[in-house]
């Protein structure tokens, strides 16, 4: 008898990172059920999959109760506004999807006896006092600041995952994703890499918030997807940092983009409240346990992302 293909539910499947996951799981021979309400996702991200009979799309808010017909082997919870601009525009929805959405999907995983993986974030550490950040660091988080709707929703979601594991026996994984970039990021989602590239391609001044000396570590999306698959298949239940440890200031990012797009000008705008000053993952755990290291350097990743945004801006599909 032929072996049944494994089936995965990917919440937020039409989003930037999760649409790449849909591609990867389909390429690996899985059946994929993407569940999305398109509050921040783009239909174009999954348009190429709609004719694929191994792919299904369920248009559904995962914060509302829902059920899924048929078996599932894995549930990957990626639904959530992710860019600061999006989650500040959708604060209640962000709180709901981190809490109600996570619990709904954990119950579906329990019912189907599926493995559950939750997309957490480096925002768990917020404005870190430990550098680089290890998974054991407990964070420096404001419960009432402008980022708190996202940070606390993700912290609650991690607690829910551990609760469902301990009390209800769900087989769980948690990943903490650090800034990831690549093709399919929305041109207007406000995150720094897409903002700077779009501004550079349009000949506008690049908007550097504050003095531009704050740092981030940028991971290319294919490296992240590889790490996610490794955690799902071979990881344990404790959190894994996934990100590229190479740290850049925002001014260095401007320089990297200028090398490819040509001369750029910058304008300094005020630093948003509670903007973390430094961020860099310690990925020893993922490297040691899973053999994972990011391979794509920023210059190389920017080539692909600039080409993607250039083409989308030209066709009005940004
Ligand atoms: P994205 O906004 O492109 O994707 C999120 C998707 O979730 C969208 O398609 C959106 O429509 C969908 N969604 C949101 N709320 C929903 C709901 N209630 N029901 C159904 N669908 C819903 O963002 P992204 O950058 O691809 O991020 C995906 C996940 O990864 C998020 O959970 C985010 O917190 C996490 N993450 C991303 C990064 C990064 O750098 N991209 C960093 C840390 C964590
Ligand atoms: N940033 C910037 N200009 C922009 C957008 C963002 O200087 O047009 C800065 C922002 O202040 C932050 C960093 O870039 O210090 C990363 O911001 P992003 O929104 O991409 O993600 P965050 O890591 O803050 O969640």
């Amino acid at each position: 008898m032929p072996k049944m293909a494994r089936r995965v539910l990917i919440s937020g499947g039409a989003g930037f990172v999760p649409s790449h996951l849909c591609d990867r799981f389909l390429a690996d021979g899985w059946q994929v059920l993407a569940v999305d309400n398109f509050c921040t996702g783009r239909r174009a991200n999954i348009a190429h999959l709609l004719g694929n009979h191994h792919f299904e799309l369920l248009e559904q808010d995962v914060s509302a109760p829902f059920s899924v017909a048929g078996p599932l082997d894995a549930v990957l919870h990626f639904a959530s506004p992710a860019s600061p601009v999006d989650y500040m525009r959708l604060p209640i929805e962000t709180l709901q999807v981190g809490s109600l959405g996570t619990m709904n999907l954990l119950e579906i995983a329990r019912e189907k006896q599926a493995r559950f993986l939750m997309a957490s974030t480096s925002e768990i550490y917020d404005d870190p006092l430990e550098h680089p950040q290890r998974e054991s660091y407990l964070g420096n988080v404001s419960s009432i600041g402008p980022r708190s709707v996202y940070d606390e929703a993700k912290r609650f979601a991690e607690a829910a995952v551990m609760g469902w594991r301990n009390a209800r026996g769900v087989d769980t994984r948690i990943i903490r994703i650090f800034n990831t970039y690549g093709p399919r990021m929305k041109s207007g989602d406000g995150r720094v890499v897409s903002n700077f590239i779009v501004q550079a391609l349009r000949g506008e001044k690049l908007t550097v918030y504050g003095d531009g000396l704050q740092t981030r570590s940028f991971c290319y999306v294919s490296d992240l997807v590889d790490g996610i698959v490794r955690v799902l298949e071979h990881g344990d239940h404790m959190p894994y940092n996934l990100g590229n440890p190479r740290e850049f200031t925002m001014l260095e990012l401007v320089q990297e983009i200028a090398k490819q797009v040509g001369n750029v000008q910058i304008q300094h705008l005020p630093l948003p409240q509670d903007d973390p000053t430094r961020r860099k993952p310690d990925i020893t755990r993922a490297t040691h346990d899973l053999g994972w290291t990011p391979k794509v350097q920023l210059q190389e990743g920017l080539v692909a992302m600039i080409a993607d945004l250039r083409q989308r801006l030209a066709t009005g599909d940004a």
Side-chain angles (χ1 to χ4, degrees):
M1 214 167 77
K3 209 169 145 224
M4 289 273 287
R6 291 189 288 174
R7 185 165 180 243
V8 58
L9 183 162
I10 303 180
S11 79
F16 154 53
V17 171
S19 67
H20 287 279
L21 277 174
C22 292
D23 290 344
R24 170 64 189 264
F25 278 88
L26 287 166
D28 288 353
W30 290 64
Q31 301 273 347
V32 173
L33 170 64
V35 185
D36 205 299
N37 68 351
F38 294 96
C39 69
T40 63
R42 298 171 66 242
R43 285 180 194 278
N45 288 345
I46 51 165
H48 62 293
L49 301 178
L50 293 179
N52 184 333
H53 64 277
H54 297 295
F55 178 80
E56 299 160 82
L57 170 66
L58 173 64
E59 241 178 286
Q60 167 73 42
D61 178 354
V62 299
S63 302
F66 72 106
S67 57
V68 173
L72 286 172
D73 300 283
V75 173
L76 274 51
H77 182 25
F78 279 72
S80 172
S83 119
V85 168
D86 282 339
Y87 63 70
M88 289 183 206
R89 177 173 62 83
L90 299 167
I92 307 299
E93 292 82 350
T94 302
L95 288 161
Q96 286 173 331
V97 76
S99 54
L100 301 172
T102 303
M103 294 190 290
N104 285 339
L105 288 162
L106 279 162
E107 268 304 297
I108 288 174
R110 185 190 62 76
E111 180 199 323
K112 305 283 184 186
Q113 298 189 329
R115 188 169 286 171
F116 183 93
L117 181 144
M118 182 229 156
S120 187
T121 165
S122 54
E123 288 288 328
I124 290 290
Y125 311 117
D126 200 359
D127 197 1
L129 303 177
E130 176 179 304
H131 195 80
Q133 294 82 53
R134 279 175 299 187
E135 291 89 348
S136 55
Y137 179 51
L138 298 181
N140 176 33
V141 187
S142 164
S143 59
I144 53 170
R147 288 178 177 249
S148 65
V149 290
Y150 181 70
D151 300 5
E152 297 290 12
K154 290 288 188 182
R155 291 175 72 90
F156 177 88
E158 287 198 8
V161 169
M162 296 308 278
W164 256 257
R165 173 185 174 79
N166 294 330
R168 300 198 177 165
V170 179
D171 181 16
T172 58
R173 306 279 185 273
I174 295 172
I175 53 166
R176 294 181 179 156
I177 304 171
F178 285 64
N179 297 62
T180 297
Y181 70 100
R184 300 188 189 155
M185 275 185 101
K186 273 188 308 190
S187 65
D189 87 355
R191 284 180 280 193
V192 69
V193 184
S194 47
N195 262 16
F196 282 0
I197 293 176
V198 169
Q199 289 161 347
L201 291 175
R202 288 183 172 149
E204 297 168 357
K205 288 183 180 165
L206 275 54
T207 51
V208 175
Y209 301 161
D211 57 13
L213 297 177
Q214 69 272 37
T215 71
R216 293 293 187 273
S217 306
F218 299 108
C219 185
Y220 190 66
V221 66
S222 60
D223 281 332
L224 176 67
V225 164
D226 180 45
I228 292 168
V229 171
R230 285 172 193 247
V231 172
L232 182 74
E233 299 281 17
H234 307 295
D236 62 35
H237 67 285
M238 293 299 280
Y240 287 92
N241 285 339
L242 293 179
N244 190 324
R246 174 78 162 82
E247 192 180 3
F248 290 85
T249 68
M250 297 310 104
L251 292 178
E252 286 169 334
L253 175 63
V254 169
Q255 293 311 318
E256 294 297 328
I257 291 171
K259 280 183 203 160
Q260 296 189 34
V261 181
N263 270 344
V264 298
Q265 292 196 311
I266 62 173
Q267 60 172 321
H268 287 275
L269 295 179
L271 190 67
Q273 189 193 331
D274 289 354
D275 197 273
T277 47
R278 295 188 78 181
R279 193 183 280 157
K280 169 179 165 160
D282 181 323
I283 57 166
T284 308
R285 211 171 108 69
T287 303
H288 185 267
D289 291 9
L290 309 170
W292 180 75
T293 43
K295 306 248 178 321
V296 181
Q297 294 312 313
L298 185 61
Q299 270 301 324
E300 192 189 334
L302 286 176
V303 171
M305 185 156 170
I306 289 169
D308 176 65
L309 272 168
R310 198 189 292 277
Q311 191 254 330
R312 280 160 48 201
L313 289 174
T315 56
D317 179 32

